[in-house]
Amino acid sequence: MFNPASRQNWNEFQWEKEIRKDELRINRYFQALRVCLDLPGEEEMIFKRLMSQQDLVPTGVEWSQQSLSEFYAQHDEEDEENPPDDFCHRAGYDLLRQLDRQAREWNVVFAAGLRGSFLREGLALTCRFGKLLSRFSNFIEIDDPEMRALKISLGKRVLADLNDIFGSLNMMMRRQKALQGPLMTIADNLQHVREATVDLLEELRNGDKK
């Protein structure tokens, strides 16, 4: 069970630590999945394996008192929540659309031009774009002034995700020079998003409101 009071008055560094823990939990899940895949009761086995690792337990959550069905019920309720009515009018929405366009441009390059020997790297970059879009959407959705620290932490993780994508694009431009043109265009457009995100974070830190 989750105790919301445990996260009241958190600063951006505490939130960032929790976000990193969440990412580690996802990584450990996929590691466990390789071992438990297709075994009877695989989901219960993975859940118990993750529960037993204290460094994965979210702050304020008593995993020992939560069953797998309760865990899924809680996350199903979260997934059913709709975006705010004014979502498309919030600061950063234009950047989210730009990210979506660049993700689609990358998928076109991936499908039409990337060498088969780079399939794994290509799929990894597609996943990075998906993670970035989800993270940026969460960044925009938070509009509560009391959750400013969380929003700043998410913005910082957006910048880290963008840096990872820049690294992947640069690597592919070096290894397949014929794709330098379209990949450079994607990188340039992402740089604009990065600079605008830095500006949004600066406004948040200064206490400005959009």
Side-chain angles (χ1 to χ4, degrees):
M1 299 179 66
F2 173 57
N3 176 18
S6 63
R7 300 184 185 183
Q8 288 180 353
N9 302 317
W10 272 17
N11 60 39
E12 65 183 86
F13 304 105
Q14 290 170 299
W15 276 115
E16 188 164 4
K17 181 179 179 181
E18 194 70 19
I19 292 169
R20 289 177 181 273
K21 183 187 291 187
D22 185 57
E23 292 177 342
L24 178 61
R25 191 163 52 247
I26 294 170
N27 288 336
R28 296 272 180 87
Y29 169 84
F30 283 105
Q31 290 175 12
L33 183 63
R34 289 199 297 266
V35 177
C36 302
L37 189 63
D38 293 333
L39 293 177
E42 67 179 64
E43 292 187 354
E44 190 71 39
M45 292 173 63
I46 293 173
F47 185 73
K48 289 180 179 179
R49 179 176 293 211
L50 296 180
M51 269 200 319
S52 67
Q53 302 176 55
Q54 289 302 310
D55 60 330
L56 302 183
V57 179
T59 302
V61 175
E62 290 293 337
W63 277 20
S64 61
Q65 300 176 17
Q66 190 174 47
S67 67
L68 181 61
S69 60
E70 290 173 334
F71 175 82
Y72 278 137
Q74 173 187 338
H75 285 268
D76 286 344
E77 290 176 3
E78 294 174 355
D79 291 341
E80 290 174 0
E81 294 179 1
N82 295 319
D85 293 337
D86 64 342
F87 185 76
C88 62
H89 300 294
R90 293 189 177 183
Y93 180 75
D94 58 325
L95 302 178
L96 179 64
R97 293 193 64 183
Q98 178 67 267
L99 287 175
D100 181 66
R101 284 193 292 270
Q102 300 317 307
R104 285 186 279 118
E105 287 297 324
W106 156 248
N107 285 331
V108 169
V109 173
F110 179 23
L114 195 68
R115 292 175 188 159
S117 57
F118 299 151
L119 176 62
R120 182 172 180 176
E121 291 87 344
L123 289 172
L125 183 50
T126 295
C127 291
R128 288 192 181 98
F129 268 112
K131 176 184 173 185
L132 175 60
L133 286 166
S134 176
R135 182 103 69 194
F136 206 94
S137 180
N138 291 336
F139 174 74
I140 297 172
E141 190 169 347
I142 296 173
D143 198 39
D144 184 347
E146 295 185 1
M147 301 299 287
R148 182 179 296 167
L150 172 57
K151 185 163 184 142
I152 291 173
S153 297
L154 287 170
K156 289 164 66 176
R157 298 311 302 161
V158 163
L159 296 179
D161 291 342
L162 278 167
N163 288 339
D164 287 342
I165 289 175
F166 286 135
S168 296
L169 290 173
N170 288 333
M171 179 271 292
M172 290 181 184
M173 282 188 278
R174 290 194 305 270
R175 297 176 67 179
Q176 191 169 342
K177 296 187 183 301
L179 297 181
Q180 282 185 347
L183 294 183
M184 183 61 72
T185 298
I186 293 173
D188 288 344
N189 290 328
L190 291 179
Q191 182 60 31
H192 164 72
V193 174
R194 188 185 190 285
E195 292 169 0
T197 302
V198 170
D199 291 341
L200 287 175
L201 284 174
E202 189 64 26
E203 291 174 6
L204 282 169
R205 288 200 172 99
N206 291 335
D208 294 335
K209 296 181 180 178
K210 286 287 184 180

